[in-house]
Every structure is written in C-alpha cells, then in structure tokens.
C-alpha cells in the first residue's frame, strides 16, 4: 500500500486553484475502490479517497503559497459526502478499520492545522447530503455553509444505522468545537435523517443555511473574507530559493511555492530515512543532513523537508503494511551540528510550514500503536528536532561508552516548537509534575549532553555501558515482544499523553478508543451485528446488556 | 372560533374529536389553500364537475357535483380497518399490525411518507399551466380531477405525519408545501417531479407512466405493517386508478386520431394534417417510460431491503405471493451491464426488491402498448409502438452511466449522440406538439389532434358543461 499520489493521478477529487481560493471538489469514482468488494457510491470514501485528500491538503500548504482559503465541496448532484463506505468497513479487519480511521482523523486534524497555522482557512460548501464522515469532514472546516433547499440535511447516522460511532471526530467536534449543547447533540446523533436548514443553524450544526440560488455566491464571499483575514505571508522570505520546475509566481507579492519532493522509496529505503523489518521489529533510521547542505535553500532537495516527508510516508506505510511488527527501534545517524543548523528558528515562509509539517509527523508517531524505542548510539544525531523523535518514544536507551563519544543536544525545538496533541512539548509532558526541571533543561540548550548527564537530567531511560549494552537492549526488546500487543497499545497511549486533554487528544483517546471497542463488540461486528448486517436488508440483533 | 371540521374536511378519522389533529390542521390548512392558490391550476374557473370523496363506501367516494376549485373539500380517508390484520412479511411476519408508529421505525416510516407525500403536490405544480391549452372541457375537467385528488393524497400523507409523528412530522408536513417543482432553491425530492408537464401529450404520458409508478409505490405501502399507512394507501389506490384511466384513454385517443389521419391521407407524416406522427408518440413513450423507471430507484437498494425486513414496505401483492415472505435465503436475477453487454447477475432478493417492483410495473405498462397497437391494427396499420429496453435513457440505477439503445444494445457515447434524436423527443418535436396545443373550451368540441372520448363523466353527455370558465 502506497500513500504517494499527486494531483495528476487523482481519481476521486479535483483540486482547483483560482488566485487566493482553492477548491477541493469531491467526485468519487464509484468503481475506484482501493480494494475489491464495494462500490464507492454517493461520494463515500475509502483509504484511496482519503489518500488523495491528504495529498491535496499537504500540497496546498507548500505548493500554493498564494492560497488563503480552501473550499471543500461535493461534485455530485445533491451529494456532498456520505462518509466512509460501509461495505468497505464491514469487510475490513479490525486492524484495517482502526488504522483507516486513524489516518482519516489525522487528515481532518491537518485541515484544522492549516486553518490555524497556515493562513489557509477551510470552508465546507455543503451542497448536498452530508452524512456521517461526510458531515465530519465539514466539521473539520472552520465555516460550514449548508444549502437550504428543504431537503438537504447534515446527519450523523452511525449510532442509529450502524451501531458504531461517528469516529472521525464527529462527536467531539460537535460539543467541543461547535459548542452544540449535549442534549441537542444527543438528539442529532441518534436521528438518522439528520437536521436541515434553519434548525441546523440554530443548534448550531452549521454556520449558515443558504438557498441554492445564492449558494455559490455566498461560498465565494465567505472564502474571500477568510482569505482577507489570512496571515499567510505576502512577502517572499529573504534568501535564495529555487522555485522548482514549472512553477511561476502567481502574484508578485506572494511567496514562492515549494514543490514537495517526490517519494521514490526502494522498499522502505528513502533518501533520508530507511526501515528494516526484522522479525517482530522494525529498525527505523533517520539520516541527518550532509555537513554542507544549505538549510536556507528550500527546494525539493532540502534535507528537513525531505526527511519530514519521507518519515511521514514511512510511518503511514509501516502502520498499514507491517501490523505484525510491534516494536519500532528508532535510530539516527549524522552530525548533531548539521541537524541544528537546519533548525532555522524562524516561521518566515516556508520555514513555518516545515515546522508544522514535522510537528504533524511527530504527532503521527505519538498516536502510532507500536512500542517505540530510541537507541542513542555513537554517530547518532538526536539534536533539536530529531531529539523529539527520541522524546516521542516510550523508552530511550543511550550508550555510555567512554571510548566513543555519544551525545544529544537540546535546542529551542524541544521547548514548544513541536507540541503534542495535548498542547504540551514532549519535555513538558515528560516532566509534567516538575515544570522547574523543564526550565532548567532550557538552560542546557545548545551544548552536548553525554549519556551520564542525559540520564541524570532525565532525558533517557537507561544509559548502559558498552559491556551491558547489547544484552540490555536485546532483553528489553524481547521481553516487550512477549507482552500482549493490545495491552501495550493501551498502556503506551496512556503514558504518552500525560497532562491536559484537548479536542485532538479526546478524538484519538476518548472517541477513537470507544469506537475501537465498539468495533470489536458483537453488537457491531458479530454475525448479527449492525455493521455486518448493514446492506443485507436484515436488521441487527443486539445483546441488550450494557457493559 | 370553532370550526366544523367534519363539514370542511370530510373524514373518517374522528377529526372532530381529535384536538391534536385539529391543532395541526388549523395551521396547515390555510397554508395548503395558499399553496393551491399560488401553485395550483393557473386557469381561472368558476366551478368544475368534480368527484368528491365524502366517505369510503361505494357511494361515498363517488360524489359528483360542480364545485369551485378552492372550495373543494379535501378529505381524509382510510380504508376500513381489518381488526384481525397481521403483518404479512419480514421479520415481524404473523404479528398484529401496528396502530402506532414503533419508535424503532419512526425515521424510516417518516422518510417513506415524506417521499410519497412530496410527489403528490409536485404533479399539481408540474401541470398547473395545462388548463390554458386543454383540448376539451372534458379533458380540462379530468385534469382538475387529477389535480384535486393529488391534493387530497397530499392531505392523506400530511394526516399521517400530523397524527403519528409529533413535532418532526409537523415540520415535515410544512416542508411539503415549501418545496416546489422545478424550484431552484427548494426543488421536489425526486428529479422526475421537477420537470414541467408542458403539453397534453406529456400529460397523458405522465398519467399513464408516472402515475402508474405511483400506483406501484402505493401498492407496496398498502402492505405496510403500519396499519394507518396501509389503509390510507388502499384508499388512495382507488383514486389513482382514475388518473391512469385518464392516461390510458388519453394516449388511446391520440393514437386513434393519428391512425385516422394516416389512413385518410395515406401518409406517415401527418404533421400537415394537424396530427401527431406515430414516431413522435413513440419518442414520448420512450422518454416518459424511462424517466418513470428511474423513480423505482437503484435496482439494488439497502434501504428497501431494510424497509421490507422491518415490515414497512412490502412487495406488490405481497400476500398473493407463494414464498416465505422473509426472503433472507432467496435470490433474484437482475440485469446489469458487463463488458459492453447486458447480462444477468444473481443477487440476494432482499436487496433487489426495487427491481422486483419494476418488473411488475414493466409488465403492466406493456398492456397499454398492446392496447395502442390494437387501435393501429383496427385501422389496418402495423402495430408499431413498443416499450424501450429498461436500460434505455436511465439516470438512476445500474444502467446509469451506460448508453443503451431502445432495443437494448450497449453503445458508445458517439453512437448514443448520433441516435438520440431518433429515440427521444427533439426540440422540434416538442415545439410541434406544443404548436397543436390550442384551448378548446366550447362544450362538446374537441381539438383536432385527438379523438373525443367514448363516454362522458358519470353518465353525462360529451357536450355537458364540465367546467364553467
């Protein structure tokens, strides 16, 4: 399974860019399912559709600096989007469903991230039925415009029709983002026909309901208003830059586009990252930049951009393709100074985009259902942004060998540039009860920290010496591999997110965790369960006992 | 102010004792009358010789008299209750039918009633300008009879929404008047009901083909385990029969006039003589038949399967069928396009119920074509009319996206474009038919493109003044 695509290869969506406004038009090819066995009717989606959406959201940020508002709309008659394809869900394994939902959640979060941090405000032009995941897609947008034609409704019919939850953030965003009262949310989410028109505005499930004759005009006006508020940079950042092949400046004042580097892995070997599956583990290695790489020349060869994009893709592919390998052992190799040189410390275009991209990639790691172990060895380059990789891991082992220097380096990157989904830096979450300690660590910024000191500072779990190292690491990995994978997934997800809840953590923890439990219950996925019976014309038979 | 409901609204549902229903209708009835004034027949009339249902018995529902249209008494009638009636199909088979809406099925039942209800006023809206070009007072009267009865069918659905679905039912009832046929901002739910009925040939075709779809939909709802819906639809079917009579005899009369002119002038092209050529009639058949087939929905439908299992909507003449009426183990054969050809595929019967209903409909439609061909034969002409292949000109279901000729061959878009004008009415055909549409309001007179009916209404002669203008 590959997550690589580009607009020239899209089958299901159309990306239209017109000055400051882009449109993502959903027109799903019924016969274009990524797996056999189902038709993608009524703009329903599967992983293949979402991969295109993910690609479009990503490219808009880098390749379209002039775009300040993005309209998501339906390209079929009277249909916005019917959500995830039910037959696809019904025929999928539990692991596939969970992984699929995680990915779609990450893309919805990326839509909100673009609105919040990239000056690209997303608007949903709901020009037809928006059901389930279709409405959830709209919920990820900043502003929802519903066509008011007396019949088009938004709905979350999962509970009444499928016996599962609207698991792509729907329940959470209703209450936490839109402020829908819990009693009205209760009515809405149990009413298969949904809510339309004025009432949808009152509840407030949408921001406005507009007659068809004024719909396009209203969408355009709202998009232009959003574009006018955008903080997206208008001045090109200082410094030389290659605009990339075929790219032309769209407005004289707009920043130059940054083409996303093509993904051309050989197996799991990319230009800056590689993964070696081995038994129940995968060894992931991230290579630092060459000493002479220019951090300010952001083109498709830029190390930080490439590394981020390749690591992001690797995580997605390993999650999907290697479900049996429960532990990822993460290493780096390269030069600490060269890594820090790429930590530009500026949010000027396009460095802000780079930072947020790596932030999103690290967040993917945070919610990955694998045991993550960092091995910090001589020759590694866990500095600044790459040190975050180690901090995202469940454990950190650092070799303390007096004959071979081994160090990590902190930078400002470790103190808030790459927040987790709970809004905290990984260090702040690590030392939740000791905020002073984080402040002290900040004073250590920039200098080399060796193994003994890293252990003392609490940056690593263990620092075995060269005699113990091999056995310590081997035993730890083997011991872990023997534990229940389900218990590990649950335990890790709990430990990683110390501290406050946010909408994002609630979506992944409260909503997704309940959803994943419901998915495995006979009431949903048993032979008589709602999900399995859906589409057969037979009604589900529920075990009425509450658990 | 107290209103005598049983006088203003003839009914057999105990309206005068039902305060909840009275409250609902108090606000709805003025809106309905306003809708009728704005969206109902455009031709002003003094009164029309109409049949008004005042009771469900044989005599009660065929009560004739001249009535000013806005004063027509739209009533609420359910067929007599069978107190022993049991659910005939689905997982609740054998249990007593429901007199109330089970909460479990509220949303589905409401949806079924709203979709049915939405079509009733739609056809009134589609036909509102036809009175301006009526070929005779007899036809004009039939048009208005169809219109008021569609209005009554709307009442029937609104009654169910008001009486059984609480607040959300009242909201839906209101929305039935807010959506309008062909409106850009709030169109009717089903596509076919947003097309204007521009001429009388279209009207006859509509009442033959599209109202016949209505008959089959009502027939499936008549089987419903929700008894008030079943009884409502049973009574509506009696009225629907008249609408199809208008269509059947209307097309009869057009075909007959065409045959007369063909014989008289010994030519196929009877345009010069003011008739509608057989080729144009065939194109109208092709269009209205294919559009009506779309109303049956997708051949494979999960919703319909759910409705069946739940007992909400049965099959045509469910109780006469010789099977288990549960269908969980049954299969049906449904056509689909494979490798450029129409091939049969075997599917679970439950999900293929729309196709089952459509087949019943197709068989019924073919009787009309046989009838029209007999008229041709009676005039010594070859039986030239036919029903096109069910895959022809389809926009809904498994044939959508494919191009099929009337004889069922799958062709490419180029061949389709090349043949289209031979198969479907062209702008010229429509303009020609429209050019024939001149009003004939003199009692006993009839337009030249259609023959007079064999009989008048309710034993009245043809020159009876059915409508006072």
């Amino acid at each position: 399974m590959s997550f690589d695509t580009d607009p020239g290869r899209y089958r299901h969506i159309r990306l239209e860019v017109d000055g400051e406004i882009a449109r993502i038009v959903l027109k799903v090819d019924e016969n274009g399912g990524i797996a056999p066995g189902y038709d993608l009717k009524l703009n329903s989606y599967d992983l293949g559709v979402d991969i295109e959406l993910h690609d479009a959201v990503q490219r808009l940020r880098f390749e379209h600096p002039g775009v300040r508002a993005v309209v998501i709309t339906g390209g079929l008659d009277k249909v916005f989007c019917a959500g995830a394809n039910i037959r696809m869900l019904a025929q999928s394994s539990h692991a596939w469903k969970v992984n699929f939902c995680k990915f779609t959640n990450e893309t919805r979060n990326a839509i909100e991230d673009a609105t919040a941090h990239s000056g690209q405000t997303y608007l949903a032009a709901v020009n037809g039925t928006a059901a389930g995941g279709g409405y959830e897609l709209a919920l990820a947008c900043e502003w929802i415009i519903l066509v008011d034609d007396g019949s088009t409704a938004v709905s979350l019919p999962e509970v009444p029709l499928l016996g599962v939850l609207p698991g792509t953030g729907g329940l959470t965003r209703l209450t936490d983002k839109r402020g829908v009262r819990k009693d009205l949310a209760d009515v809405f989410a149990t009413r298969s026909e949904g809510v339309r028109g004025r009432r949808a505005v009152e509840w407030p499930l949408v921001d406005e309901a507009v007659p068809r004759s004024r719909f396009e005009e209203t969408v355009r006006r709202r998009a232009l208003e959003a574009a006018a508020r955008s903080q997206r940079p208008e001045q090109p950042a200082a410094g030389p830059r290659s605009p990339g092949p075929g790219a032309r400046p769209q407005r004289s004042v707009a920043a130059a586009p940054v083409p996303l580097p093509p993904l051309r892995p050989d197996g799991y070997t990319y230009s800056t990252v590689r993964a070696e599956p081995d038994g129940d583990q995968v060894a992931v290695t991230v290579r630092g930049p060459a000493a002479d790489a220019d951090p300010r020349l952001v083109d498709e060869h830029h190390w930080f951009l490439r590394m981020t994009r390749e690591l992001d893709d690797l995580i997605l592919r390993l999650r999907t393709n290697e479900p049996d390998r429960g532990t990822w052992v993460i290493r780096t190799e390269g030069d600490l100074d060269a890594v820090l040189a790429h930590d530009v410390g500026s949010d000027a275009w396009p460095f802000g985009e780079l930072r947020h991209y790596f932030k999103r990639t690290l967040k993917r790691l945070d919610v990955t259902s694998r045991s993550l172990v960092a091995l910090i060895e001589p020759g590694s380059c866990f500095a600044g942004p790459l040190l975050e990789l180690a901090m995202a891991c469940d454990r950190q082992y650092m070799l303390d060998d007096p004959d071979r220097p081994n160090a990590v380096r902190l930078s400002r990157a470790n103190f808030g540039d790459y927040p987790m989904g709970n809004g905290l830096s990984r260090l702040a979450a690590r030392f939740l009860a000791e905020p002073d300690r984080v402040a002290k660590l900040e004073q250590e910024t920039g200098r080399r920290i060796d193994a003994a000191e890293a252990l003392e500072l609490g940056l690593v779990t263990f620092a075995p010496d060269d005699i113990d190292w091999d056995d310590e690491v081997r035993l730890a990995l083997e011991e872990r591999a023997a534990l229940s994978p389900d218990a590990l997934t649950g335990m890790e997800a709990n430990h990683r997110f110390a501290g406050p809840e946010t909408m994002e953590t609630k979506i992944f923890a409260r909503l997704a965790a309940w959803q994943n439990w419901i998915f495995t219950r006979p009431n949903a996925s048993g032979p008589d369960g709602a999900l399995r019976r859906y589409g057969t014309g037979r009604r589900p038979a529920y075990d009425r006992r509450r658990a | 102010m107290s209103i005598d409901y049983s006088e203003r609204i003839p009914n057999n549902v105990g309206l005068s004792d039902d305060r909840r229903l009275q409250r609902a209708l108090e606000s709805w009835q003025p809106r309905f009358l306003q809708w009728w004034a704005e969206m109902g027949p455009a031709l002003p009339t003094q009164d029309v010789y109409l049949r008004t249902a005042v009771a469900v018995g044989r005599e009660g529902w065929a009560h004739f008299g001249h009535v000013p249209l806005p004063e027509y008494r739209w009533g609420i009638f359910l067929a007599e209750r069978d107190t022993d009636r049991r659910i005939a199909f689905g997982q609740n088979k054998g249990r007593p039918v429901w007199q109330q809406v089970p909460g479990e099925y509220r949303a589905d039942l409401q949806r079924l009633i709203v979709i049915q209800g939405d079509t009733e006023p739609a056809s009134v809206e589609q036909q509102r300008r036809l009175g301006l070009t009526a070929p005779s007072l007899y036809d004009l009267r039939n048009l208005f009879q169809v219109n008021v009865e569609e209005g009554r069918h709307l009442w029937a659905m609104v009654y169910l929404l008001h009486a059984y679905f609480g607040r959300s039912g009242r909201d839906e009832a209101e929305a039935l008047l807010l959506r309008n046929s062909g409106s850009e901002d709030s169109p009717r739910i089903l596509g076919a009901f947003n097309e204007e009925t521009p001429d009388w040939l279209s009207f006859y075709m509509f009442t033959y083909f599209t109202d016949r779809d209505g008959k089959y939909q009502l027939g499936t709802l008549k089987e419903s385990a929700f008894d008030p819906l079943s009884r409502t639809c049973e009574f509506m079917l009696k009225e629907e029969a008249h609408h199809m009579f208008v269509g059947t005899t209307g097309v009869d009369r057009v075909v007959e006039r065409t045959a007369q002119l063909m014989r008289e002038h010994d030519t196929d092209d009877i345009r010069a003589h003011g008739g509608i050529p057989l080729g144009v009639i065939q194109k109208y058949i092709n269009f209205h038949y294919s559009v009506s087939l779309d109303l049956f929905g997708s051949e494979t439908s999960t919703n319909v399967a759910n409705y069946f299992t739940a007992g909400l909507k049965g099959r045509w003449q469910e109780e006469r069928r010789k099977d288990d009426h549960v269908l969980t183990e049954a299969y049906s054969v449904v056509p689909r396009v494979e490798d450029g050809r129409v091939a049969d595929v075997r599917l679970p019967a439950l999900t293929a119920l729309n196709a089952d209903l459509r087949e019943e409909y197709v068989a019924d439609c073919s009787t009309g074509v046989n009838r029209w061909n007999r008229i041709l034969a009676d005039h010594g002409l070859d039986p030239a009319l036919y029903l096109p292949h069910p895959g022809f000109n389809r926009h809904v279901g498994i044939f959508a996206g494919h191009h099929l000729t009337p004889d069922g061959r799958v062709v490419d878009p180029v061949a389709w474009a090349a043949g289209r004008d031979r198969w479907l009415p062209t702008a010229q055909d429509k303009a020609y038919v429209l050019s024939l549409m001149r009003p004939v309001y003199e009692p006993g007179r009839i337009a030249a493109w259609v023959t007079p009916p064999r009989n008048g209404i309710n034993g009245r002669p043809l020159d009876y003044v059915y409508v006072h203008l």
Side-chain angles (χ1 to χ4, degrees), chain A residues 39 41 78 87 148-151 161 191-193 196 199 211-214 533-539, chain B residues 91 104-107 110 167 171-172 175 179 184-186 189 300 302 305-306 309-310 328 350-351:
Chain A
D39 297 332
K41 289 183 178 175
K78 290 189 188 168
R87 285 177 195 272
D148 186 7
D149 60 0
S151 45
L161 292 188
R191 188 165 132 148
S192 57
E193 73 265 37
R196 61 183 180 229
R199 179 164 301 161
R212 202 166 280 280
S213 54
R214 289 195 286 114
R533 284 238 169 138
Y534 184 82
T536 64
R538 303 176 65 181
R539 300 189 74 85
Chain B
Q91 68 180 15
E104 185 179 359
Y105 307 126
R106 180 202 60 84
Q110 182 175 296
R167 164 85 187 270
D171 289 350
E172 291 292 353
R179 287 185 292 266
E184 187 197 353
D185 280 346
S186 50
I189 296 170
T300 57
T302 303
N306 290 338
T309 300
T328 46
L350 274 177
T351 53

Side-chain angles (χ1 to χ4, degrees), chain B residues 40-257:
Chain B
L43 179 73
T45 51
Q46 289 184 35
D47 58 31
V48 182
Y49 186 67
L50 292 176
R51 181 179 68 185
T52 305
V54 294
V56 292
R58 181 83 194 100
E59 303 193 343
W61 71 277
H63 191 86
F64 286 87
H66 278 97
V67 187
L69 278 181
E71 289 171 29
Y72 185 79
R73 295 187 305 151
W74 283 279
I76 302 170
F77 293 103
L78 276 60
E80 295 292 350
R81 181 171 165 193
D82 168 2
T83 50
D84 290 332
R85 187 169 169 250
R86 306 230 152 214
I87 299 170
F89 58 95
Q91 68 180 15
N92 298 311
K93 192 179 83 165
R95 299 195 186 140
V97 293
W98 316 315
Q99 300 305 327
Q100 289 293 333
V101 173
E104 185 179 359
Y105 307 126
R106 180 202 60 84
D108 284 344
L109 275 170
Q110 182 175 296
R111 178 88 190 140
L112 283 170
I113 292 168
V114 165
I115 291 193
Q116 182 63 40
D118 196 64
T119 66
E120 310 290 358
S123 62
V124 177
E125 294 162 355
Q126 291 173 288
Q127 296 160 8
R128 70 182 300 260
R129 302 179 58 78
L130 281 177
L132 301 169
T133 58
S136 69
L137 288 186
Y138 165 88
D139 288 285
L140 185 60
R141 177 266 165 206
N142 281 346
L143 168 70
F144 292 150
Q145 182 72 50
V146 169
N147 287 169
V148 293
E149 281 172 358
E150 298 295 6
R152 204 199 67 72
H153 293 178
L154 168 63
W155 271 82
M157 293 297 122
V158 165
Y159 159 72
L160 292 172
L161 291 171
H162 280 170
Y164 295 97
F165 291 88
R167 164 85 187 270
S168 74
R170 289 202 297 278
D171 289 350
E172 291 292 353
E174 200 179 323
L176 288 174
L177 295 179
L178 295 179
R179 287 185 292 266
N180 291 138
S181 176
S183 159
E184 187 197 353
D185 280 346
S186 50
R188 291 293 172 188
I189 296 170
L190 299 174
F193 289 92
N194 286 307
E195 306 284 339
E196 196 194 350
T197 308
D199 59 68
W200 280 76
L201 180 58
S202 298
F203 174 63
Y204 296 147
M205 293 289 175
F206 184 95
T207 42
Y208 186 83
F209 289 108
T210 307
D211 278 331
R212 193 169 305 271
D213 159 76
K215 165 183 160 183
Y216 280 84
Q217 301 300 340
L218 291 175
T220 61
L221 296 176
K222 184 178 80 104
E223 305 292 337
S224 180
F226 177 44
D227 204 36
L229 174 62
S230 163
R231 292 164 58 208
T232 298
C233 291
E234 187 177 342
F235 188 70
M236 286 164 73
L237 275 167
K238 291 187 184 178
E239 289 167 326
E240 205 71 30
H242 172 260
H243 306 181
M244 278 169 293
F245 164 84
V246 169
T248 310
T249 57
V251 182
D252 280 358
R253 291 158 54 210
V254 177
V255 171
E256 177 151 34
R257 183 63 185 146

Side-chain angles (χ1 to χ4, degrees), chain B residues 259-335:
Chain B
Q260 287 170 356
L261 289 169
M262 285 169 75
R263 294 296 294 179
E264 208 172 301
H265 302 282
D266 196 23
T267 174
D268 288 351
D269 189 4
I270 52 172
R271 282 168 219 254
H273 313 290
I276 302 177
L278 268 190
V280 174
I281 295 174
Q282 180 63 52
K283 289 187 199 178
Y284 272 64
I285 291 174
N286 291 351
F287 174 75
H288 286 274
Y289 177 66
S290 56
V291 169
S292 300
L293 287 178
D294 276 347
L295 292 172
F296 287 84
S298 186
E299 283 80 353
T300 57
S301 166
T302 303
N303 284 343
V304 175
N306 290 338
Y307 298 155
F308 183 86
T309 300
L312 313 184
K313 184 177 177 185
R315 288 172 294 171
W316 181 250
Q317 300 199 324
E318 182 68 47
E319 291 179 57
R320 292 200 201 166
R321 298 203 182 207
K322 302 263 183 288
D323 56 32
D324 70 358
H325 303 278
V326 182
L327 303 183
T328 46
E329 309 300 326
Y331 284 83
S332 303
V333 171
V334 174

Side-chain angles (χ1 to χ4, degrees), chain B residues 350-372:
Chain B
L350 274 177
T351 53
L353 287 174
N354 277 340
D356 176 90
L357 187 64
R358 194 190 71 192
E359 273 177 34
E360 299 282 341
Y361 169 83
V362 169
D364 192 3
C365 285
S366 63
T367 62
V369 175
N370 292 341
R371 186 184 161 108
W372 303 326

Side-chain angles (χ1 to χ4, degrees), chain B residues 29-43:
Chain B
Q29 203 219 21
R31 289 204 180 114
F32 171 80
L33 290 175
Q34 191 190 347
W35 166 81
W36 180 268
E38 287 168 11
M39 302 302 293
L43 179 73

